[in-house]
Amino acid sequence: MTRILTASFLDDPVWGPSFPDRATRPQVAGAYWRFMVGEALRFSESRVLDFALDGPAEAVEHGTLRAVSVWYPPGEDEISAEAYPAYDALVDDLLDTEAAAALERAGEQFAEARPSEPHAYLTLLGVAPEARGGGYGMGLLRAALARYDEAGIPTYLESSNPANDVRYERLGYRPHALVELAGGARVQTYWRAPQAAG
């Protein structure tokens, strides 16, 4: 999961600049996403899409996952209260003071934009580089949405790359709020009410 998220967000308009040193970005981002994945796995909401057993040879070389989606259940935050000291220490170790402050402020802005109404929260959706273009990310998202629709649970996400906005809107997401980050990036957040089957 960490490998896919690191590759997926390496040049993302929001997450790429969060790790400003391009020379060390893969290692720094990898350490950051490893921590965040660990926090998400406190719950059983996240999903992965695996290659079939007879998948292509590159699956053996790169790993077997095609896509990952990192979800949190209603009422839960990305970082537990107990993990905040470790998170702060990690960020201090990975980033200089300016980059750490920018990351903290962005986190505050995302938290402020998040609706208070209970919802499942999709924080990250990524596709393995060798599997891009196959519709695997949206397929994984559709599978999660079917489950949340059945349970009557709304969902929420932040689109850090405007190229993905239309994909989310096709699945029934509607714009919620626009988050304007200090570096100039604009992040559209989306809300999706549960939908009836069919």
Side-chain angles (χ1 to χ4, degrees):
M1 292 176 74
T2 297
R3 176 186 75 85
I4 290 174
L5 294 174
T6 300
S8 294
F9 292 98
L10 206 59
D11 295 311
D12 181 80
V14 170
W15 290 108
S18 294
F19 311 110
D21 185 345
R22 288 200 62 88
T24 63
R25 185 180 291 173
Q27 295 78 24
V28 170
Y32 183 83
W33 295 128
R34 186 173 299 109
F35 182 92
M36 298 305 288
V37 166
E39 283 296 288
L41 293 180
R42 292 177 290 143
F43 309 102
S44 60
E45 303 294 304
S46 296
R47 292 173 166 255
V48 298
L49 181 63
D50 206 343
F51 279 105
L53 293 176
D54 60 350
E58 63 263 25
V60 176
E61 179 182 348
H62 298 291
T64 62
L65 297 185
R66 291 184 184 189
V68 300
S69 61
V70 179
W71 289 89
Y72 282 84
E76 296 294 344
D77 291 322
E78 290 178 278
I79 303 169
S80 67
E82 301 80 26
Y84 262 108
Y87 174 81
D88 290 340
L90 176 71
V91 170
D92 287 344
D93 185 52
L94 294 177
L95 301 174
D96 64 28
T97 304
E98 183 178 345
L103 184 64
E104 180 179 4
R105 178 61 190 137
E108 291 169 352
Q109 289 179 262
F110 287 133
E112 290 166 7
R114 208 171 147 189
S116 58
E117 182 181 341
H119 59 273
Y121 178 30
L122 175 63
T123 63
L124 299 163
L125 177 65
V127 178
E130 64 275 10
R132 287 180 185 155
Y136 300 118
M138 289 299 109
L140 193 59
L141 178 52
R142 279 193 296 274
L145 292 177
R147 183 171 59 122
Y148 290 124
D149 284 348
E150 185 177 354
I153 298 173
T155 63
Y156 175 78
L157 62 83
E158 299 133 353
S159 178
S160 63
N161 188 338
N164 294 324
D165 290 359
V166 68
R167 295 181 178 103
Y168 298 131
E169 291 172 11
R170 283 185 195 134
L171 293 178
Y173 279 97
R174 297 295 172 252
H176 173 71
L178 189 64
V179 177
E180 299 192 39
L181 301 176
R186 295 160 58 96
V187 177
Q188 181 64 60
T189 70
Y190 282 98
W191 177 266
R192 183 182 182 276
Q195 299 181 9

